[in-house]
């Protein structure tokens, strides 16, 4: 039996319930539906499947449920049991192993866009289509410019989304911090998309590669500029291995070495950072629900840097990894809700700043046909 006390508090924080206003999509509803389905075979297979995949894995229920009911975990278990759809499995295993060139990533994504109806229907990166893929990835750029090796004091975990789609973000970090950031070779996707989809074996393989990469300089601080990667390193990596095993010990050690992005950028960034005005913050779910290390969060960073903040949006943007693949209009609808919060204060022009790569993608794509929005990562304002 689950620990759910039926208090209903999850109605206020689950983005899916707030969108559907339907108990069956609330964490409370989901947990009881799944219990009935598994224990007594109650429930229509197709509807249960929809309920299981209609979850953004935002982490709010794991963080805020007063009874600590592990709803997101129950959903991941069920996804694992049902098996992720073939297309999602194929795409994630092809995209997750970093080190591919951007030419081949672009080919994979373009293949999806023009591919067979079923493929393009089953895999959408955002509700508004596919993002532009830059000519080369961050890892391609730096290996062409300078050797990856060169001991630095902080290990830099890039993450696949920034590597392939937003190389300008890690490039700015390399420009600001030079050789004091060491990019250990062999790193790959943090494993969040695979783990969230119930592909635990794939997630574990990716994490093992990352542990080999990040253990090259034991006890060094580790920096990532993506709050979802931070969430995964901190909360997911240790959960993937048997407690007490050597991999578990390494995962725990690495997660403890993670530094706060905000603190790092404020303390080690440029002393004369430009005065920034007209900024709105979007706080990613994975930062609000346990992703950040102790230290400055995005709000704290903006405060320390004296940025003039117009609005702070702490609502889910509807990205959720592969969520738009299946629930494109729901993803767009949840995004519209976040955008409406931004418009509450009525800024006509604003710079939306967020530090999760998935949120950046959603905001960039969701506002690209709208006037007055610039979307960027906080490091781009330094
Ligand atoms: S899942 Fe948690 S927050 Fe939701 S009703 Fe149950 S106990 Fe309350
Ligand atoms: S992880 Fe987020 S979207 Fe999924 S059930 Fe929990 S609160 Fe709702």
């Amino acid at each position: 039996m689950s620990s759910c006390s039926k208090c209903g508090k999850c109605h206020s924080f689950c983005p899916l319930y707030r969108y559907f206003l339907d108990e069956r999509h609330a964490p409370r509803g989901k947990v009881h539906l799944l219990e009935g389905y598994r224990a007594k075979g109650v429930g229509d297979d197709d509807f249960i499947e929809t309920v299981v995949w209609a979850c953004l894995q935002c982490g709010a229920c794991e963080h805020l449920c007063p009874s600590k009911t592990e709803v997101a975990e129950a959903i991941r278990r069920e996804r694992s049991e049902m098996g992720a759809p073939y297309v999602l499995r194929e795409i994630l295993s092809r995209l997750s192993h970093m080190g591919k060139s951007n030419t081949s990533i672009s080919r994979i994504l373009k293949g999806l866009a023009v591919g067979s109806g079923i493929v393009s229907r089953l895999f959408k990166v955002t509700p508004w289509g596919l993002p532009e893929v830059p000519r080369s990835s961050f890892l391609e750029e730096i290996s062409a410019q300078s050797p990856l090796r060169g001991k630095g004091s902080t290990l830099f975990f890039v993450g696949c989304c920034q590597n392939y789609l937003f190389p300008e973000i890690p490039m700015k970090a390399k420009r600001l911090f030079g050789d004091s950031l060491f990019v250990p070779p062999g790193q790959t996707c943090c494993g969040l998309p695979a783990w969230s989809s119930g592909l635990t074996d794939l997630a574990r393989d990716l994490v093992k590669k990352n542990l080999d990469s990040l253990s090259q300089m034991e006890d060094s601080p580790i920096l990532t500029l993506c709050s979802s990667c931070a969430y995964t390193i901190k909360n997911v990596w240790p959960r993937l291995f048997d407690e007490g095993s050597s991999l578990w010990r390494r995962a725990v050690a690495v997660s403890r070495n993670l530094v706060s992005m905000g603190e790092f950028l404020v303390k080690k960034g440029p002393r004369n950072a430009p005065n920034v005005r007209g900024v709105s913050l979007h706080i990613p779910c994975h930062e609000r629900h346990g992703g950040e290390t102790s230290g400055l969060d995005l709000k704290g960073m903006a405060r320390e840097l004296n940025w003039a903040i117009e609005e702070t949006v702490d609502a889910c943007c509807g990205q959720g990894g592969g969520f738009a693949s299946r629930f494109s209009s729901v993803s767009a609808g949840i995004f519209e809700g976040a955008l409406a919060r931004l418009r509450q204060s009525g800024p006509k022009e604003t710079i939306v700043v967020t530090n999760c790569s998935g949120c950046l993608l959603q905001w960039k794509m969701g506002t690209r046909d709208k006037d007055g929005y610039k979307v960027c990562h906080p490091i781009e304002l330094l």
Side-chain angles (χ1 to χ4, degrees):
M1 277 302 276
S2 81
S3 55
C4 173
S5 65
K6 303 191 176 67
C7 70
K9 291 208 165 105
C10 43
H11 287 178
S12 65
F13 57 69
C14 172
L16 262 295
Y17 176 80
R18 289 164 66 108
Y19 178 82
F20 283 115
L21 297 177
D22 178 340
E23 176 64 31
R24 296 173 301 176
H25 287 290
R28 179 174 71 179
K30 282 180 192 292
V31 87
H32 291 287
L33 278 172
L34 291 182
E35 263 179 17
Y37 184 67
R38 278 288 152 208
K40 301 175 206 138
V42 178
D44 171 72
D45 287 354
D46 288 344
F47 184 70
I48 294 288
E49 206 206 340
T50 303
V51 162
V52 164
W53 288 95
C55 163
L56 287 146
Q57 289 286 303
C58 67
C61 49
E62 288 187 341
H63 180 211
L64 299 172
C65 165
S67 305
K68 303 274 168 251
T69 309
E70 295 192 316
V71 187
E73 173 62 22
I75 291 166
R76 283 189 297 274
R77 261 203 314 273
E78 199 55 46
R79 288 178 177 183
S80 220
E81 196 81 25
M82 284 177 173
Y86 172 77
V87 175
L88 182 62
R89 225 168 41 232
E90 277 298 296
I91 302 299
L92 285 182
S93 55
R94 276 199 249 164
L95 290 181
S96 300
H97 293 281
M98 247 153 67
K100 285 188 171 62
S101 70
N102 261 25
T103 316
S104 59
I105 290 296
S106 182
R107 227 178 275 136
I108 294 173
L109 291 179
K110 281 187 184 135
L112 290 172
V114 294
S116 70
I118 189 159
V119 172
S120 45
R121 210 174 62 240
L122 283 176
F123 195 81
K124 280 202 178 91
V125 181
T126 77
W128 308 277
L130 297 164
E132 285 287 320
V133 180
R135 211 161 37 85
S136 38
S137 70
F138 169 69
L139 291 178
E140 284 175 283
E141 289 271 333
I142 58 163
S143 59
Q145 280 182 10
S146 60
L148 284 171
R149 289 178 190 281
K151 283 207 166 184
S153 53
T154 301
L155 300 178
F156 188 26
F157 183 80
V158 184
C160 49
C161 205
Q162 288 187 6
N163 179 48
Y164 293 129
L165 297 181
F166 307 124
E168 66 278 10
I169 297 170
M171 248 6 243
K172 177 79 186 264
K174 271 309 259 182
R175 262 203 313 280
L176 287 179
F177 305 112
D179 285 343
S180 67
L181 280 189
F182 171 49
V183 185
Q187 57 178 283
T188 188
C189 167
C190 69
L192 180 63
W195 182 73
S196 304
S197 308
L199 297 166
T200 317
D201 288 343
L202 174 58
R204 204 175 279 121
D205 280 355
L206 295 168
V207 175
K208 278 185 200 161
K209 285 201 174 79
N210 285 322
L211 290 176
D212 286 344
S213 168
L214 294 170
S215 304
Q216 291 176 42
M217 276 164 60
E218 265 176 51
D219 299 328
S220 299
I222 297 167
L223 172 74
T224 177
L225 298 177
C226 172
S227 60
S228 285
C229 292
Y231 175 91
T232 311
I233 294 172
K234 196 175 148 202
N235 298 300
V236 179
W237 287 14
R239 286 164 75 161
L240 286 167
F241 304 104
D242 292 334
E243 203 169 324
S245 66
S246 74
L247 281 163
W248 176 82
R249 278 199 298 275
R250 282 165 72 194
V252 170
V254 163
S255 69
R256 283 189 187 139
N257 288 339
L258 200 62
V259 297
S260 147
M261 179 204 77
E263 202 130 308
F264 187 91
L265 294 183
V266 167
K267 283 198 179 142
K268 307 209 174 206
R271 290 197 167 226
N272 303 317
N275 258 343
V276 175
R277 312 202 67 74
V279 166
S280 296
L281 303 179
H282 168 71
I283 314 296
C285 291
H286 284 149
E287 175 154 315
R288 279 182 290 129
H289 304 307
E292 257 304 340
T293 47
S294 55
L296 290 173
D297 57 9
L298 183 56
K299 277 186 210 165
M301 177 185 168
R303 212 171 30 242
E304 288 290 318
L305 293 172
N306 294 320
W307 289 352
I309 305 299
E310 286 176 330
E311 190 59 81
T312 299
V313 180
D314 55 7
C316 177
C317 71
Q319 221 293 320
F323 182 79
S325 299
R326 190 158 176 172
F327 301 101
S328 179
S329 56
V330 182
S331 173
I334 293 173
F335 176 74
E336 283 302 323
L339 197 56
R341 293 231 196 159
L342 186 61
R343 286 192 186 123
Q344 259 170 20
S345 66
K348 289 209 172 56
E349 293 198 357
T350 193
I351 306 170
V352 181
V353 177
T354 188
N355 54 326
C356 159
S357 309
C359 301
L360 268 172
L361 184 59
Q362 188 86 336
W363 278 96
K364 279 180 190 263
M365 295 294 284
T367 57
R368 74 182 168 168
D369 296 329
K370 295 178 166 58
D371 290 333
Y373 295 97
K374 180 181 173 216
V375 180
C376 69
H377 186 278
I379 199 170
E380 293 177 272
L381 297 181
L382 298 182

